[in-house]
Amino acid sequence: MRGHPGPRVGPATYSPGVSHSETDHPDTVVGAAEGHAPGAAPSPSGAGGVAGGGAVTDPAVRAELTRLRESIDNIDAAVVHMLAERFKCTQQVGRLKAEHRLPPADPEREARQIARLRTLAESARLDPAFAEKLLNFVIAEVIRHHETIAEGGDSGD
């Protein structure tokens, strides 16, 4: 839905358009966030609540980082569970295709899905090219599963 802030996934709500790094360590902050070039050493003055070694010294900054990272962790968990559910459905599709001797890939369906996902990404203020790359990766894995099923193997659930 346009204008909807996103799903409530934990202690904080997902905010579209806010960039997060999944590699952030709880006691460090990303360089560009403090106003210096990425890869540059933080200022020894502790600007932004950061000591010379990158440890967060300001309790308010630490609390905000923790809150945001807890949301990121919850979103990551939701993404994994949603992908698992998606693959359960695609496994059923693969079995149905194999049963009826249909090809594992459906290029027309895939093209429609990519176009649909790009539109969704744009409305969510997510890079459509990134969304397309992600869906292409998922589709390739689904096709691989379907091929395994068609060859008489079960790609497992």
Side-chain angles (χ1 to χ4, degrees):
M1 275 189 229
R2 192 164 191 85
H4 185 269
R8 176 94 175 144
V9 293
T13 301
Y14 167 71
S15 300
V18 176
S19 177
H20 304 286
S21 173
E22 72 279 359
T23 59
D24 282 354
H25 184 276
D27 295 328
T28 61
V29 290
V30 178
E34 279 75 58
H36 54 281
S43 69
S45 67
V50 180
V56 177
T57 58
D58 183 330
V61 172
R62 180 184 298 273
E64 182 68 359
L65 283 171
T66 299
R67 183 188 68 77
L68 291 168
R69 289 174 176 148
E70 286 173 353
S71 286
I72 292 167
D73 292 349
N74 288 337
I75 293 165
D76 289 345
V79 166
V80 167
H81 287 281
M82 293 300 294
L83 282 171
E85 288 301 311
R86 187 187 197 286
F87 276 97
K88 286 178 186 175
C89 291
T90 61
Q91 295 291 17
Q92 292 174 19
V93 168
R95 286 190 281 277
L96 188 62
K97 284 181 171 184
E99 199 177 300
H100 295 278
R101 301 191 192 282
L102 297 170
D106 184 346
E108 289 177 15
R109 159 93 174 144
E110 294 155 22
R112 286 191 310 270
Q113 284 296 93
I114 289 168
R116 182 178 149 281
L117 195 69
R118 287 185 67 91
T119 300
L120 287 170
E122 288 171 4
S123 70
R125 294 182 292 175
L126 178 68
D127 178 7
F130 169 77
E132 182 173 345
K133 286 177 192 174
L134 178 62
L135 186 60
N136 279 325
F137 179 80
V138 170
I139 288 171
E141 187 67 10
V142 167
I143 291 169
R144 189 182 68 75
H145 289 183
H146 289 186
E147 290 168 344
T148 301
I149 292 167
E151 293 167 359
D154 191 349
S155 193
D157 275 6

